[in-house]
Amino acid sequence: MSDPEFDYDLALKLLSLSLESYHEGDAFQDEFEGLNKLAHINDLVTDTQLFILIDEKTNELYIAFRGTSNIANLFTEVIAFKEKYPKEDNDSKLFPMKVHQGALNAYLTVKDKILEIVEKENNRFEVQRIYTTGHSQGGALATICAFDLKLTFPDIELAMYNYGSIRTGDRKSVV
């Protein structure tokens, strides 16, 4: 595996997508720079929101997490304790990292829906690449999501760009 290369045009596209994710579900453009909206996921308890988009010409998925936009999100952000992840194997020596507890709890409320949609799209056509992105708290969610996606779909290329993310992991983290 080679070192990832920074792509300025992609970074601008994902920045625009991150900013667009602050719009409510129906206000988000149905088509965004050649991408079609597949899903708007909104967990009402944690107010975690994201959009999943698809580029059907290139078989690429885009997952854009909304960042901090209200008091509920702010409370999620200030829960800065660290927790081991993946939770399914808390005694793992392979993944000794800890991640931001508030971001992790918010992510876990939408994780199954994300993985279900990615699995469905990968079965429908072979997904070539997945991009995750977000700003602020959304950047932390995009980071954790990228980690999960790589564990679940190791053969799909993955890229994550975040902007002004809260600190997601500890020094041992690979995320």
mmCIF file of all heavy atoms in Angstrom, residues 39-59:
data_model
loop_
_atom_site.group_PDB
_atom_site.id
_atom_site.type_symbol
_atom_site.label_atom_id
_atom_site.label_comp_id
_atom_site.label_asym_id
_atom_site.label_seq_id
_atom_site.Cartn_x
_atom_site.Cartn_y
_atom_site.Cartn_z
ATOM 1 N N ALA A 39 -29.332 8.770 0.703
ATOM 2 C CA ALA A 39 -29.983 8.729 2.009
ATOM 3 C C ALA A 39 -29.619 9.948 2.832
ATOM 4 O O ALA A 39 -28.531 10.506 2.707
ATOM 5 C CB ALA A 39 -29.561 7.468 2.762
ATOM 6 N N HIS A 40 -30.565 10.319 3.682
ATOM 7 C CA HIS A 40 -30.328 11.287 4.744
ATOM 8 C C HIS A 40 -30.625 10.540 6.029
ATOM 9 O O HIS A 40 -31.740 10.054 6.225
ATOM 10 C CB HIS A 40 -31.248 12.503 4.595
ATOM 11 C CG HIS A 40 -31.198 13.417 5.781
ATOM 12 N ND1 HIS A 40 -32.322 13.734 6.506
ATOM 13 C CD2 HIS A 40 -30.173 14.048 6.387
ATOM 14 C CE1 HIS A 40 -31.992 14.546 7.487
ATOM 15 N NE2 HIS A 40 -30.686 14.751 7.443
ATOM 16 N N ILE A 41 -29.641 10.391 6.875
ATOM 17 C CA ILE A 41 -29.810 9.676 8.141
ATOM 18 C C ILE A 41 -29.777 10.709 9.255
ATOM 19 O O ILE A 41 -28.875 11.546 9.307
ATOM 20 C CB ILE A 41 -28.713 8.616 8.336
ATOM 21 C CG1 ILE A 41 -28.786 7.570 7.212
ATOM 22 C CG2 ILE A 41 -28.831 7.951 9.705
ATOM 23 C CD1 ILE A 41 -27.625 6.586 7.198
ATOM 24 N N ASN A 42 -30.762 10.627 10.140
ATOM 25 C CA ASN A 42 -30.870 11.572 11.239
ATOM 26 C C ASN A 42 -31.312 10.814 12.483
ATOM 27 O O ASN A 42 -32.440 10.345 12.555
ATOM 28 C CB ASN A 42 -31.881 12.669 10.890
ATOM 29 C CG ASN A 42 -32.044 13.683 12.006
ATOM 30 O OD1 ASN A 42 -31.274 13.716 12.954
ATOM 31 N ND2 ASN A 42 -33.059 14.515 11.877
ATOM 32 N N ASP A 43 -30.402 10.679 13.442
ATOM 33 C CA ASP A 43 -30.777 10.080 14.715
ATOM 34 C C ASP A 43 -31.335 11.189 15.603
ATOM 35 O O ASP A 43 -30.608 12.133 15.945
ATOM 36 C CB ASP A 43 -29.586 9.415 15.389
ATOM 37 C CG ASP A 43 -29.986 8.782 16.702
ATOM 38 O OD1 ASP A 43 -30.640 7.721 16.673
ATOM 39 O OD2 ASP A 43 -29.682 9.384 17.755
ATOM 40 N N LEU A 44 -32.599 11.070 15.962
ATOM 41 C CA LEU A 44 -33.262 12.133 16.710
ATOM 42 C C LEU A 44 -32.767 12.262 18.144
ATOM 43 O O LEU A 44 -32.809 13.347 18.717
ATOM 44 C CB LEU A 44 -34.778 11.914 16.695
ATOM 45 C CG LEU A 44 -35.426 11.967 15.308
ATOM 46 C CD1 LEU A 44 -36.906 11.635 15.393
ATOM 47 C CD2 LEU A 44 -35.208 13.325 14.664
ATOM 48 N N VAL A 45 -32.288 11.184 18.726
ATOM 49 C CA VAL A 45 -31.813 11.238 20.112
ATOM 50 C C VAL A 45 -30.509 12.018 20.214
ATOM 51 O O VAL A 45 -30.372 12.918 21.045
ATOM 52 C CB VAL A 45 -31.656 9.818 20.699
ATOM 53 C CG1 VAL A 45 -31.050 9.865 22.091
ATOM 54 C CG2 VAL A 45 -33.001 9.106 20.727
ATOM 55 N N THR A 46 -29.541 11.696 19.370
ATOM 56 C CA THR A 46 -28.239 12.373 19.426
ATOM 57 C C THR A 46 -28.139 13.535 18.438
ATOM 58 O O THR A 46 -27.159 14.277 18.464
ATOM 59 C CB THR A 46 -27.096 11.385 19.117
ATOM 60 O OG1 THR A 46 -27.287 10.860 17.801
ATOM 61 C CG2 THR A 46 -27.046 10.270 20.144
ATOM 62 N N ASP A 47 -29.125 13.671 17.572
ATOM 63 C CA ASP A 47 -29.121 14.661 16.497
ATOM 64 C C ASP A 47 -27.891 14.506 15.605
ATOM 65 O O ASP A 47 -27.290 15.477 15.166
ATOM 66 C CB ASP A 47 -29.233 16.091 17.028
ATOM 67 C CG ASP A 47 -29.597 17.068 15.923
ATOM 68 O OD1 ASP A 47 -30.352 16.678 15.007
ATOM 69 O OD2 ASP A 47 -29.109 18.220 15.947
ATOM 70 N N THR A 48 -27.526 13.260 15.363
ATOM 71 C CA THR A 48 -26.437 12.948 14.449
ATOM 72 C C THR A 48 -27.033 12.866 13.051
ATOM 73 O O THR A 48 -27.980 12.124 12.822
ATOM 74 C CB THR A 48 -25.783 11.608 14.835
ATOM 75 O OG1 THR A 48 -25.319 11.703 16.178
ATOM 76 C CG2 THR A 48 -24.641 11.269 13.900
ATOM 77 N N GLN A 49 -26.473 13.661 12.128
ATOM 78 C CA GLN A 49 -27.004 13.696 10.771
ATOM 79 C C GLN A 49 -25.891 13.502 9.753
ATOM 80 O O GLN A 49 -24.775 13.971 9.936
ATOM 81 C CB GLN A 49 -27.700 15.023 10.505
ATOM 82 C CG GLN A 49 -28.946 15.212 11.330
ATOM 83 C CD GLN A 49 -29.723 16.440 10.904
ATOM 84 O OE1 GLN A 49 -29.864 16.704 9.713
ATOM 85 N NE2 GLN A 49 -30.218 17.192 11.868
ATOM 86 N N LEU A 50 -26.259 12.808 8.674
ATOM 87 C CA LEU A 50 -25.325 12.604 7.586
ATOM 88 C C LEU A 50 -26.095 12.350 6.303
ATOM 89 O O LEU A 50 -27.284 12.025 6.326
ATOM 90 C CB LEU A 50 -24.403 11.412 7.875
ATOM 91 C CG LEU A 50 -25.104 10.058 7.973
ATOM 92 C CD1 LEU A 50 -24.560 9.105 6.934
ATOM 93 C CD2 LEU A 50 -24.938 9.516 9.366
ATOM 94 N N PHE A 51 -25.384 12.511 5.217
ATOM 95 C CA PHE A 51 -25.921 12.225 3.892
ATOM 96 C C PHE A 51 -25.020 11.213 3.226
ATOM 97 O O PHE A 51 -23.809 11.237 3.397
ATOM 98 C CB PHE A 51 -25.971 13.493 3.036
ATOM 99 C CG PHE A 51 -26.950 14.505 3.530
ATOM 100 C CD1 PHE A 51 -26.572 15.473 4.442
ATOM 101 C CD2 PHE A 51 -28.259 14.469 3.108
ATOM 102 C CE1 PHE A 51 -27.473 16.395 4.913
ATOM 103 C CE2 PHE A 51 -29.179 15.388 3.568
ATOM 104 C CZ PHE A 51 -28.786 16.356 4.474
ATOM 105 N N ILE A 52 -25.636 10.304 2.483
ATOM 106 C CA ILE A 52 -24.873 9.369 1.661
ATOM 107 C C ILE A 52 -25.242 9.657 0.217
ATOM 108 O O ILE A 52 -26.424 9.710 -0.128
ATOM 109 C CB ILE A 52 -25.174 7.902 2.026
ATOM 110 C CG1 ILE A 52 -24.838 7.650 3.503
ATOM 111 C CG2 ILE A 52 -24.381 6.953 1.119
ATOM 112 C CD1 ILE A 52 -25.144 6.247 3.990
ATOM 113 N N LEU A 53 -24.218 9.873 -0.592
ATOM 114 C CA LEU A 53 -24.414 10.202 -1.998
ATOM 115 C C LEU A 53 -23.658 9.201 -2.855
ATOM 116 O O LEU A 53 -22.758 8.517 -2.384
ATOM 117 C CB LEU A 53 -23.911 11.618 -2.286
ATOM 118 C CG LEU A 53 -24.625 12.699 -1.480
ATOM 119 C CD1 LEU A 53 -23.764 13.104 -0.304
ATOM 120 C CD2 LEU A 53 -24.937 13.882 -2.335
ATOM 121 N N ILE A 54 -24.031 9.156 -4.114
ATOM 122 C CA ILE A 54 -23.421 8.203 -5.038
ATOM 123 C C ILE A 54 -23.068 8.892 -6.348
ATOM 124 O O ILE A 54 -23.799 9.760 -6.822
ATOM 125 C CB ILE A 54 -24.369 7.012 -5.293
ATOM 126 C CG1 ILE A 54 -23.703 5.943 -6.127
ATOM 127 C CG2 ILE A 54 -25.678 7.467 -5.911
ATOM 128 C CD1 ILE A 54 -24.480 4.650 -6.207
ATOM 129 N N ASP A 55 -21.941 8.511 -6.892
ATOM 130 C CA ASP A 55 -21.570 8.885 -8.248
ATOM 131 C C ASP A 55 -21.685 7.605 -9.065
ATOM 132 O O ASP A 55 -20.829 6.720 -8.979
ATOM 133 C CB ASP A 55 -20.139 9.432 -8.295
ATOM 134 C CG ASP A 55 -19.740 9.900 -9.686
ATOM 135 O OD1 ASP A 55 -20.287 9.379 -10.684
ATOM 136 O OD2 ASP A 55 -18.868 10.782 -9.776
ATOM 137 N N GLU A 56 -22.755 7.489 -9.821
ATOM 138 C CA GLU A 56 -23.035 6.247 -10.541
ATOM 139 C C GLU A 56 -22.111 6.040 -11.742
ATOM 140 O O GLU A 56 -22.014 4.936 -12.252
ATOM 141 C CB GLU A 56 -24.505 6.192 -10.950
ATOM 142 C CG GLU A 56 -25.401 6.067 -9.734
ATOM 143 C CD GLU A 56 -26.870 5.915 -10.063
ATOM 144 O OE1 GLU A 56 -27.254 6.073 -11.242
ATOM 145 O OE2 GLU A 56 -27.640 5.649 -9.127
ATOM 146 N N LYS A 57 -21.416 7.083 -12.175
ATOM 147 C CA LYS A 57 -20.469 6.932 -13.283
ATOM 148 C C LYS A 57 -19.171 6.277 -12.824
ATOM 149 O O LYS A 57 -18.537 5.554 -13.573
ATOM 150 C CB LYS A 57 -20.162 8.294 -13.906
ATOM 151 C CG LYS A 57 -21.348 8.922 -14.610
ATOM 152 C CD LYS A 57 -21.000 10.280 -15.145
ATOM 153 C CE LYS A 57 -22.239 10.913 -15.751
ATOM 154 N NZ LYS A 57 -22.064 12.336 -15.968
ATOM 155 N N THR A 58 -18.785 6.558 -11.592
ATOM 156 C CA THR A 58 -17.509 6.043 -11.089
ATOM 157 C C THR A 58 -17.687 4.983 -10.001
ATOM 158 O O THR A 58 -16.687 4.453 -9.504
ATOM 159 C CB THR A 58 -16.661 7.186 -10.512
ATOM 160 O OG1 THR A 58 -17.381 7.793 -9.426
ATOM 161 C CG2 THR A 58 -16.330 8.223 -11.571
ATOM 162 N N ASN A 59 -18.925 4.691 -9.618
ATOM 163 C CA ASN A 59 -19.214 3.725 -8.549
ATOM 164 C C ASN A 59 -18.550 4.120 -7.233
ATOM 165 O O ASN A 59 -17.957 3.300 -6.534
ATOM 166 C CB ASN A 59 -18.806 2.309 -8.938
ATOM 167 C CG ASN A 59 -19.654 1.745 -10.052
ATOM 168 O OD1 ASN A 59 -20.579 2.374 -10.523
ATOM 169 N ND2 ASN A 59 -19.337 0.549 -10.476
#
